[in-house]
Amino acid sequence: MFKSSRSNLSDSADISPGKPMRPSTVKFARRTPSGRYVSYSRDNLSGEDLSRDDLDSDVGSVEFMNYTVHIPPTPDNQPMDPSISQRVEEQYVSNSIFTGGFNSVTRAHLMDKVTESEASHPQMAGAKGSSCAVTGCDGKVMSDERGNDILPCECDFKICRDCFVDAVKGGDAICPGCKEPYKQTDLDEGNRYALPLPPAAGMSKMERRLSLMKSTKSGLMRSHTGGAEFDHNRWLFETKGTYGYGNAIWPKDVSFGNDSDHGVREPTELLNKPWRPLTRKLKISAAVISPYRLLVFTRLAALAFFLMWRVRNPNSDALWLWGMSVVCEIWFGFTWVLDQLPKLNPVNRVADLNVLKEKFETPGPVNPTGKSDLPGVDLFVSTADPEKEPPLVTANTILSILATNYPVEKLSCYVSDDGGALLTFEAMAEAASFANLWVPFCRKHDIEPRNPESYFNLKRDPYKNKVRQDFVKDRRRMKREYDEFKVRINGLPDSIRRRSDAYNAREEIKALKLQREQAAGDEVPVEPLKVPKATWMADGTHWPGTWLQPSSEHSKGDHAGIIQVMLKPPSDDPLNGAAGENDPLDFTEVDIRLPLLVYVSREKRPGYDHNKKAGAMNALVRASAIMSNGAFILNLDCDHYIYNSEAIREGMCFMMDRGGDRICYVQFPQRFEGIDPSDRYANHNTVFFDVNMRALDGLQGPVYVGTGCLFRRVALYGFDPPRSKEHPGFFHWCCCCFGRQRKNKRVTAASVENQSLRMGDSDDDGMNLSLLPKRFGNSSFLLDSIPVAEFQGRPLADHPSIKNGRAPGALTVPRELLDASAVAEAISVISCWYEDKTEWGGKIGWIYGSVTEDVVTGYRMHNRGWRSIYCVTKRDAFRGTAPINLTDRLQQVLRWATGSVEIFFSRNNAFFASPRMKLLQRIAYLNVGIYPFTSFFLVVYCFLPALSLFSGQFIVQTLNIAFLVYLLIISVTLCLLALLEIKWSGITLEEWWRNEQFWLIGGTSAHLAAVLQGLLKVIAGIEISFTLTSKSAGEENDDEFAELYTIKWTSLMIPPIVIMMVNLIAIAVGFSRTIYSSLPQWSKLLGGVFFSFWVLAHLYPFAKGLMGRRGRTPTIIFVWSGLIAITISLLWVAIDPPSGSSNSDIGGSFSFP
């Protein structure tokens, strides 16, 4: 059977109309494991042997009728064993770079190497492997898990699997090399491969996956249905799968008792063993939290009485001053309430890793081998510009991920390079190569942290608590290897540039030679050639991404989608290192497997809105769903590395605990390195991460802060949490009163079976499968992966109280092997057009429309009824870098505040939250959108002391007892609240004070600019752009904190400088006015001076930062600020000069203008 299709396989040039077309022919060929074809044509087999280039040129140079011939299996044409062929194809996939996108064919380019360095690990792309020695075949020689060639003949003739089968079945079992018969022709692979059993006939890959989830009619799974005979997975997971070895949830050797109703009984050990939770909630001591709450309400009452008194007692001498101060104070009181109310119920949580290991990785009747039953985790690392985000920083983050303490076969790492830079690509390849030594070294000696740069720069004794005798030798050798690794990484830019220049020069010479040959005998002068300056990969081919000299289809906003499997998926069983003389370290007792590592650069084309980081994250969500489909996703910035190798396990304790199926994400606190000891600009942000976030954890959960967050995949897909209708929220009755009662009744009466996956913002009772392509796109691979991810993310059903659980042992089966069709589909879903007319970025994945997409994404999940968890580990989970110089810090705060303003003017405003969001959680999100607007009132209030000193008036008529008592109560309660917050959160008083200082610095600069930019965007439609925060590469410098003194000009500095100078001048004017006045009013002077000093004390870090070091502060800052301050001061004195009998002349003959 065959069919014909008209095609043009030429990649470089079209056929000229005048050229005669070759008659249609049919060529018979055999496909090799690398994807090439070995021709069976008699013309090619006779005479000279056919080379790959000849075949490619013969097939790809003309337009012809392409016939696909399907030859049925015969005794001479037996297909390869599926288990072997899948392994061969996975090796082909890992050695190929896949490219494609809009209006282009997806191509897999087989690469001999991905970097200049030699790859030694058998999982790495471009690993040292042998090619088939049979002429005309470019297949790879079969290899075992260690990368060693499998050679069936004693002459060691290198032959691939296909050629060996041909030689045995069609060539009398004669070796093509020595011409001697093979002694063994069955090629028993049993001892070399850890292969899964052959699949059931007629079953697709997805059906085999889903067959793992066929649940038994178990009492554990039916506990929450009152014993009804209903399988909660049946409606979603019905497949053709049958139970058998490798598929069954319960192994054969588990005995089942007598159950007259169902004939099934649970293992008695699970039911009789005391159930232990994975996590515990530690409430704050009542001796601390009770006075704290009492003080909150005391201060709230004092504020109310104070504001009432202020309104009823105006200053008739300066109504304008009184009016401005009262309006500002009312706003400050309102925002304080918004900030304080969500802090009433802070909690601490702790995870029990021993229980996690006991439940998921300890041998038992359900899991005899003790293989990990934990779900898969996909880690996302995002980078955009290798110049601002150095590849060495990203490479160290990748190494810390690959070395984390989580089952290797359950871990996958995806690196998103949004710039499509070859520098990042080769840096990741170098990191994968270096991981061959670094990861086993960390496992052998239990290294912490597992970022090599941070580890080798530790200030403490590295030999403490190390008991192995070879640790000193191994560490010394590892340090030398890492130094060489850094040299290679830092030398990549020059290496790529030199390589590209050499290849471009060769191409110019070839093109010039060809031009001269074509112009031979012609008198027409030769025109100068214009050969594009391409960027070349290590294997001598064009880089499909961004070139060093951008050109069409090779620039930052215009390049194809790229996927390269840097490290192919590991084997399912542990693989210890082999002893050898050439091995630098002894890993004979260490598992040397590495997790899956994939480089991804999504397609970008002009005219498409790629949505910055949010778009890149959504592309990774889709690609990972097809390639590994981990039930959970952990995203990290390129400068945030894993500092605690147990962090993922601690996060998994919350996800797998009772009720964990309703948790959308686990947020870890951000911790930073390289910050000055005084933390001048509050870079640690400890008040937010240790006070506000802990408090939100006692409500519906912390907000998502952009990095260090473990997501549940189905929550990102826009589904509602299980049993969502059981928790209608605070506004349930209000909604019922406004016409939604009928709908709620109908939903409540819905069958429990439809609660597993429910789309958010949907009026349907359950998930309508026919609408999924419109929501998620037309990828069947992606749609089929959704129920699999939902099932794998369920907690264990090892206790009757656990609802929506899965049976133990369901995830101990081997993972599916990676094939070319999956990677090709992944290329399709990262194309620029895939999201068109879908709900990606609207209701699914990371949400678009804000520069702070993280907060909006978390808000949408909470709005659907999910809850989140704040996981503070004893050892910091992740660490990163933060800008310590003033300019970059202000730009960072500007970006956050701009995103908050966008949220306020969008439908993501907490005013429009659904009834499922709790009241205090709603108030917390409302505060997120409102806090930048405080800048207007803050700027005015900072000028009020100066205006008071200039005018000789004050915000009150007189400093009477009532005003002073209110002021004292408000101030004392504020200090006591701060002390109690310090007590229950664990921060220091200095950190609290630094936060207060930078609140005023940011409020008078970045927040004000953010509000103006937000209003421009809403009113005038002017888009907002932000500067990417630079990440330090950790280069050696004489001063570790040299960046602290770096000051770059920015207009954000003008308002705080003007406030400082105006207040200083006002103090001088106020003293002069009072001293030379005939009736000095010292009370008003002291009031104005007190508040001026309050302003200046908060701005002290800003003033200290402006001083810089060695004259680095731009002169323009002082010139403009001084002129503005002097102009304002003199203008005010001119408008309202001193009055009185003799105070028109101050200081003798000197008079104010």
Side-chain angles (χ1 to χ4, degrees), residues 289-534:
I289 196 64
S290 296
Y292 180 78
R293 292 169 178 167
L294 178 61
L295 280 173
V296 169
F297 290 106
T298 301
R299 191 168 194 267
L300 182 61
L303 273 175
F305 285 114
F306 172 69
L307 293 176
M308 290 173 58
W309 182 88
R310 290 280 283 125
V311 172
R312 293 175 180 177
N313 294 271
N315 184 0
S316 57
D317 295 335
L319 286 176
W320 57 272
L321 191 63
W322 168 82
M324 288 192 296
S325 63
V326 168
V327 170
C328 292
E329 288 162 2
I330 292 175
W331 179 263
F332 293 152
F334 170 67
T335 55
W336 179 84
V337 171
L338 292 182
D339 180 68
Q340 198 64 51
L341 287 181
K343 297 180 183 179
L344 293 177
N345 189 36
V347 297
N348 292 319
R349 301 181 189 271
V350 62
D352 194 334
L353 296 179
N354 293 327
V355 177
L356 184 76
K357 184 175 182 62
E358 177 185 331
K359 287 189 176 185
F360 291 88
E361 297 177 329
T362 301
V366 178
N367 185 11
T369 61
K371 293 182 63 176
S372 177
D373 196 22
L374 289 170
V377 179
D378 294 338
L379 289 97
F380 295 170
V381 179
S382 58
T383 181
D385 189 346
E387 295 182 358
K388 295 183 178 180
E389 299 169 328
L392 182 60
V393 174
T394 307
N396 276 283
T397 299
I398 299 303
L399 290 169
S400 72
I401 292 173
L402 298 180
T404 192
N405 187 16
Y406 198 79
V408 183
E409 67 276 9
K410 303 295 182 73
L411 203 64
S412 304
C413 179
Y414 294 82
V415 182
S416 170
D417 178 18
D418 228 23
L422 180 59
L423 175 58
T424 304
F425 177 85
E426 295 200 1
M428 295 305 98
E430 290 286 355
S433 178
F434 179 70
N436 183 33
L437 293 176
W438 174 251
V439 174
F441 169 73
C442 292
R443 293 172 182 164
K444 179 179 179 181
H445 298 290
D446 195 20
I447 298 300
E448 292 286 358
R450 299 190 175 183
N451 176 327
E453 183 69 26
S454 299
Y455 172 71
F456 289 119
N457 288 332
L458 286 176
K459 306 297 183 184
R460 57 179 174 80
D461 182 13
Y463 307 108
K464 186 178 181 180
N465 299 328
K466 301 302 178 185
V467 296
R468 297 185 68 104
Q469 296 180 353
D470 56 351
F471 173 70
V472 176
K473 177 179 67 68
D474 287 356
R475 186 182 186 278
R476 188 177 298 117
R477 178 58 186 269
M478 201 70 243
K479 182 65 167 64
R480 290 199 301 268
E481 294 287 344
Y482 179 64
D483 290 339
E484 295 176 3
F485 167 73
K486 288 201 295 184
V487 171
R488 292 196 300 270
I489 291 287
N490 293 328
L492 281 177
D494 292 336
S495 175
I496 294 173
R497 189 175 295 106
R498 289 195 302 268
R499 180 204 311 152
S500 299
D501 291 343
Y503 278 115
N504 287 329
R506 186 196 66 176
E507 292 298 310
E508 290 180 0
I509 294 174
K510 290 173 60 177
L512 184 60
K513 181 179 179 181
L514 180 62
Q515 186 183 42
R516 289 176 179 174
E517 291 176 355
Q518 293 176 350
D522 296 340
E523 297 181 355
V524 180
V526 178
E527 297 181 357
L529 288 173
K530 292 183 179 180
V531 179
K533 300 292 184 180

Side-chain angles (χ1 to χ4, degrees), residues 953-975:
Q953 301 296 331
F954 195 51
I955 58 177
V956 293
Q957 189 83 28
T958 58
L959 293 177
N960 55 20
I961 298 299
F963 176 77
L964 294 177
V965 169
Y966 281 127
L967 188 63
L968 180 63
I969 294 175
I970 292 172
S971 301
V972 170
T973 53
L974 177 64
C975 295

Side-chain angles (χ1 to χ4, degrees), residues 429-742:
E430 290 286 355
S433 178
F434 179 70
N436 183 33
L437 293 176
W438 174 251
V439 174
F441 169 73
C442 292
R443 293 172 182 164
K444 179 179 179 181
H445 298 290
D446 195 20
I447 298 300
E448 292 286 358
R450 299 190 175 183
N451 176 327
E453 183 69 26
S454 299
Y455 172 71
F456 289 119
N457 288 332
L458 286 176
K459 306 297 183 184
R460 57 179 174 80
D461 182 13
Y463 307 108
K464 186 178 181 180
N465 299 328
K466 301 302 178 185
V467 296
R468 297 185 68 104
Q469 296 180 353
D470 56 351
F471 173 70
V472 176
K473 177 179 67 68
D474 287 356
R475 186 182 186 278
R476 188 177 298 117
R477 178 58 186 269
M478 201 70 243
K479 182 65 167 64
R480 290 199 301 268
E481 294 287 344
Y482 179 64
D483 290 339
E484 295 176 3
F485 167 73
K486 288 201 295 184
V487 171
R488 292 196 300 270
I489 291 287
N490 293 328
L492 281 177
D494 292 336
S495 175
I496 294 173
R497 189 175 295 106
R498 289 195 302 268
R499 180 204 311 152
S500 299
D501 291 343
Y503 278 115
N504 287 329
R506 186 196 66 176
E507 292 298 310
E508 290 180 0
I509 294 174
K510 290 173 60 177
L512 184 60
K513 181 179 179 181
L514 180 62
Q515 186 183 42
R516 289 176 179 174
E517 291 176 355
Q518 293 176 350
D522 296 340
E523 297 181 355
V524 180
V526 178
E527 297 181 357
L529 288 173
K530 292 183 179 180
V531 179
K533 300 292 184 180
T535 300
W536 296 75
M537 293 189 288
D539 69 336
T541 57
H542 283 180
W543 168 243
T546 302
W547 287 355
L548 297 177
Q549 297 184 12
S551 65
S552 177
E553 297 188 356
H554 292 285
S555 60
K556 284 188 176 181
D558 184 13
H559 61 79
I562 308 170
I563 292 181
Q564 170 70 64
V565 180
M566 291 290 184
L567 291 171
K568 68 180 181 181
S571 59
D572 193 58
D573 296 319
L575 179 66
N576 292 344
E581 297 179 356
N582 298 327
D583 296 331
L585 301 176
D586 181 15
F587 295 140
T588 53
E589 300 177 0
V590 183
D591 188 1
I592 63 171
R593 294 177 302 161
L594 300 176
L596 171 69
L597 175 61
V598 183
Y599 170 91
V600 179
S601 181
R602 58 181 173 142
E603 183 192 19
K604 287 190 172 183
R605 298 300 179 193
Y608 284 87
D609 186 1
H610 302 292
N611 296 296
K612 301 173 183 175
K613 180 182 176 180
M617 289 294 99
N618 285 338
L620 287 186
V621 170
R622 297 189 295 270
S624 63
I626 293 171
M627 299 181 68
S628 57
N629 198 30
F632 298 95
I633 294 172
L634 174 64
N635 84 293
L636 296 171
D637 288 342
C638 65
D639 63 326
H640 266 73
Y641 67 91
I642 298 180
Y643 187 75
N644 180 359
S645 61
E646 302 283 348
I648 300 179
R649 288 178 175 270
E650 294 209 28
M652 202 58 64
C653 287
F654 295 98
M655 292 293 193
M656 293 290 103
D657 204 7
R658 180 170 52 186
D661 57 336
R662 292 181 50 82
I663 297 174
C664 55
Y665 61 81
V666 176
Q667 177 66 62
F668 295 86
Q670 291 187 21
R671 307 301 187 198
F672 302 101
E673 295 178 334
I675 296 176
D676 58 298
S678 63
D679 193 13
R680 180 184 294 176
Y681 306 123
N683 293 93
H684 283 300
N685 214 358
T686 51
V687 172
F688 173 76
F689 286 113
D690 291 328
V691 178
N692 297 71
M693 296 287 272
R694 287 177 192 264
L696 289 176
D697 197 17
L699 304 178
Q700 201 170 337
V703 298
Y704 169 44
V705 295
T707 183
C709 189
L710 181 67
F711 283 99
R712 183 178 300 275
R713 184 179 285 270
V714 293
L716 278 173
Y717 285 160
F719 293 103
D720 289 350
R723 310 177 300 284
S724 59
K725 298 305 176 183
E726 298 176 10
H727 306 272
F730 179 82
F731 293 94
H732 172 66
W733 302 108
C734 299
C735 294
C736 292
C737 296
F738 287 97
R740 293 181 61 178
Q741 186 173 2
R742 180 181 302 175

